[in-house]
Amino acid sequence: MLQKRLFAVILILAAIGVGYFADIRLSAKPAFPYVAVTVNHANYKLGLDLNGGTHLVYQANTSKLTGADVGGAMTALRDVIERRVNIFGVSEPIVQIEKGGVVGGGDDRLIVELPGVTNVEDAIKTIGQVPTLEFKTERLAGAEKDAILKAFDDYQKTKDSSKPIISNLLAEDPYYISSPLTGRYLEHATVEFDPTTGEPHVSITFNSVGAKLFGDLTKNNVNKTIAVYLDGAIISAPVVREEIKDGKAVISGGFKVADAQALARNLNYGALPVDIKLLSTQTIGASLGEDALNAGIKSGLIAFAVIALFLILWYRLPGLVAVLALSVYVVLNLLIFKFLVTLTAAGIAGFILSIGMAVDANILIFERMKEELARGRALPDAVREGFARAWTSIRDSNLSSIITSVILYWFASNSLIKGFALVFFIGVVTSMFTAIVISRTFLQAIGAKGDSKFAKFLFRSGFLNPKP
C-alpha cells in the first residue's frame, strides 16, 4: 500500500511539474472562486484564426494546360508554395487550391494563409519571386509562324501611332512553342563551373517523369535548339546533339556567381509549374484572434468546471479521483500542444470534445464498480473488477475514435480539419492513459476497504443513495 501511495504522490508531483512547463499558473483572487487559473499562451503556436496573420489569394494561369493537366499542375503549385513558406519558418501555413465559381469566372486560385505575419509586404516577400522554368522547342516554319511574325511586325510599325495594331498573336512566341517539360519536374539544382571558361552555370536534375519528358524532347529535336525560359525570358537555347536519357540539363546564361547561386537556391525552393498573379490580400488582426482564443479558453474552463462538479456530486470519492485524473489529462495535453501542435479554433473544439471522451471512460469504470458492489463484493474487489470489466468497453470506444481521427486527418483537404483530427487523436490517447493508469493508481492509493456505511456511501453514486 505504501508503494502505491508513494507512486500516486510521484504522479501528482510530476503532473504539477508538467503543468509548470505547460505555462499553467494559479493565482489568488479576492472574490469567488478565489483562485484563478491562467495559461500563458504566448509560448504556444497559434493558427491564423487565433493569432492573426495574412490571407493571400493568387490566380494561376492555366490557360496553356489541357483539362487533364490542370489538376496536377495546381497540386504541384500548392506543394511548391507550401514548401517555400515553410522554409521561412512560418508556423502551420495553410495553402489550398480553390476553383472559382461562376462569379469567379472558373479561375484556378491558390489560397495562402500565414499565421503570425500581419505585414502584407512581408507576407508577399515570404512567398518571394519564385522562378517559372519552362523548356520550349523550335516552332516550325509555316503559315502560323509567318502570321505571328507579321503580327509583331505590324505592332512595331504602328506602336507609336494613335491606333497601334494589336493582335492576339502577340501573346505567342514566334520562334518557340511550349512543351510539357516545366520546373514542376525538377528534383534539384546545383551551381557548377565550366572547366574551360570558368563561368558558373546551374546544373539541374529532373525526377523520373521529368527525365522521361526531357529524353523524349531531346530525342525528337536532335540538331535543333531547345530554349530554356526563366520567368518568361529566354536565357539559353543550346543545340541538341543527341538524346539525353539521364534527366540532367545545364542552364547557362552568362551568370555571375551570386546570380547562379540565387537561381539554384530559388529552383531548389521550388520552381512554379504555372504563373501566378496576386489577386487580393487581407490582414486578420491579432485582436480578433485574441477574442476567439479567450472565448475558447473560457469555454474550456467552464466545461471542465461543470464536468468536475457533476463528477464530485454524483460519484463522490471516485468522482473526486476522476477530477484529479482529468486535471492530469489537461496538463498533459497542454504540454503536447505547446511543443507539437499549432492550435486553431477547430483544434480547441477537438480538445473540448476529447474531454468528454475522458469523462466517459471514468463513468464506465465507476458504473462497473457500482454493479460489483451491488453484487455484494467487497470494496477492494469491486474497484479491481470495475476496472477489469470496463476496459473492453473503453478500449473499443476509444479505438473507434482513434480510427475516425486518423481517417479524418488522412483525407482532410486543409490544415484546419487536420488540426481538429490531430488534437482529437491526442486527446483520446491521453484520455485512455489517464482513465486507466492515473484513476486506477489514485483509487488504489486511497486503499478503500471495509463494509462500513460511510465507505459504501463514498463509492455509491446518485443523490438518493440507493441500497445495493
Side-chain angles (χ1 to χ4, degrees):
M1 180 56 64
L2 179 62
Q3 187 178 14
K4 292 178 181 177
R5 289 179 175 172
L6 181 62
F7 184 53
V9 171
I10 292 173
L11 279 180
I12 293 173
L13 293 176
I16 294 173
V18 170
Y20 178 80
F21 285 108
D23 294 322
I24 302 174
R25 299 290 184 268
L26 300 178
S27 59
K29 289 183 66 177
F32 183 80
Y34 304 107
V35 175
V37 181
T38 58
V39 180
N40 181 13
H41 54 74
N43 296 323
Y44 286 73
K45 291 183 289 185
L46 303 177
L48 184 70
D49 55 343
L50 299 180
N51 197 30
T54 299
H55 179 94
L56 305 173
V57 180
Y58 286 91
Q59 181 184 36
N61 180 9
T62 56
S63 58
K64 296 180 182 179
L65 301 178
T66 61
D69 294 331
V70 171
M74 290 303 296
T75 301
L77 177 65
R78 181 195 62 195
D79 294 343
V80 168
I81 296 296
E82 197 165 49
R83 190 163 59 244
R84 190 168 182 86
V85 296
N86 277 328
I87 287 173
F88 284 84
V90 177
S91 61
E92 199 76 8
I94 297 176
V95 183
Q96 57 186 355
I97 300 167
E98 181 183 86
K99 186 73 174 177
V102 177
V103 177
D107 296 333
D108 294 293
R109 296 177 179 177
L110 198 71
I111 310 300
V112 181
E113 295 185 348
L114 306 173
V117 180
T118 54
N119 187 307
V120 175
E121 294 299 325
D122 285 347
I124 295 173
K125 286 180 181 176
T126 301
I127 300 297
Q129 297 298 321
V130 186
T132 302
L133 185 65
E134 299 173 278
F135 290 78
K136 298 185 178 182
T137 57
E138 290 183 7
R139 185 183 293 278
L140 298 177
E144 187 179 47
K145 183 175 181 178
D146 293 340
I148 297 172
L149 288 172
K150 184 176 183 305
F152 273 89
D153 187 51
D154 292 341
Y155 175 73
Q156 287 295 328
K157 291 177 179 176
T158 60
K159 66 179 182 181
D160 296 327
S161 67
S162 59
K163 293 183 179 180
I165 300 176
I166 300 176
S167 168
N168 291 334
L169 293 176
L170 292 175
E172 300 291 333
D173 187 323
Y175 303 106
Y176 291 96
I177 57 176
S178 300
S179 76
L181 186 61
T182 65
R184 63 182 291 194
Y185 302 109
L186 193 65
E187 190 169 270
H188 67 266
T190 56
V191 176
E192 295 179 351
F193 294 88
D194 189 297
T196 304
T197 64
E199 290 185 352
H201 59 248
V202 178
S203 176
I204 58 177
T205 303
F206 295 104
N207 60 20
S208 57
V209 178
K212 175 69 169 57
L213 290 172
F214 191 56
D216 294 341
L217 213 61
T218 52
K219 179 181 178 180
N220 298 328
N221 291 276
V222 174
N223 295 324
K224 297 179 182 176
T225 59
I226 292 181
V228 181
Y229 279 69
L230 189 66
D231 292 333
I234 183 170
I235 58 172
S236 65
V239 178
V240 178
R241 299 302 180 191
E242 59 184 353
E243 179 184 2
I244 301 175
K245 299 179 180 179
D246 61 359
K248 295 181 178 179
V250 170
I251 303 175
S252 56
F255 298 118
K256 294 179 180 178
V257 174
D259 295 336
Q261 290 174 336
L263 175 59
R265 181 197 63 206
N266 289 334
L267 288 173
N268 284 324
Y269 284 166
L272 296 182
V274 294
D275 294 330
I276 58 174
K277 175 184 176 184
L278 183 62
L279 288 183
S280 67
T281 62
Q282 181 184 5
T283 301
I284 298 176
S287 58
L288 182 62
E290 186 75 16
D291 292 342
L293 177 62
N294 290 333
I297 293 175
K298 187 177 180 180
S299 62
L301 290 174
I302 292 175
F304 182 87
V306 172
I307 290 171
L309 189 64
F310 166 76
L311 286 172
I312 293 174
L313 291 178
W314 193 262
Y315 289 102
R316 304 168 191 174
L317 185 58
L320 180 62
V321 169
V323 172
L324 290 175
L326 208 57
S327 301
V328 176
Y329 163 82
V330 171
V331 297
L332 270 179
N333 274 274
L334 288 179
L335 187 69
I336 295 172
F337 296 162
K338 180 180 177 181
F339 293 104
L340 300 178
V341 178
T342 297
L343 276 178
T344 63
I348 291 178
F351 174 54
I352 295 175
L353 183 61
S354 67
I355 290 178
M357 299 292 294
V359 174
D360 184 57
N362 281 283
I363 288 177
L364 279 172
I365 294 168
F366 300 154
E367 289 297 325
R368 294 290 184 267
M369 286 169 49
K370 190 173 70 174
E371 290 174 5
E372 295 304 319
L373 284 173
R375 291 176 181 174
R377 286 185 182 273
L379 205 48
D381 294 338
V383 172
R384 186 176 57 255
E385 286 300 314
F387 276 95
R389 289 186 57 203
W391 163 241
T392 52
S393 300
I394 295 172
R395 180 198 61 195
D396 295 346
S397 171
N398 285 273
L399 189 59
S400 62
S401 297
I402 289 173
I403 293 172
T404 302
S405 61
V406 169
I407 292 174
L408 185 61
Y409 184 89
W410 187 266
F411 288 100
S413 60
N414 62 60
S415 298
L416 281 178
I417 300 175
K418 283 181 181 286
F420 173 85
L422 177 62
V423 170
F424 186 61
F425 172 84
I426 293 172
V428 172
V429 172
T430 51
S431 75
M432 287 182 68
F433 170 74
T434 54
I436 300 300
V437 177
I438 304 297
S439 295
R440 184 202 296 263
T441 301
F442 287 168
L443 275 176
Q444 289 179 340
I446 292 173
K449 57 184 178 182
D451 295 326
S452 67
K453 291 183 178 179
F454 182 66
K456 290 186 177 180
F457 169 78
L458 290 178
F459 278 83
R460 285 177 183 153
S461 63
F463 298 115
L464 298 179
N465 195 26
K467 293 182 179 179

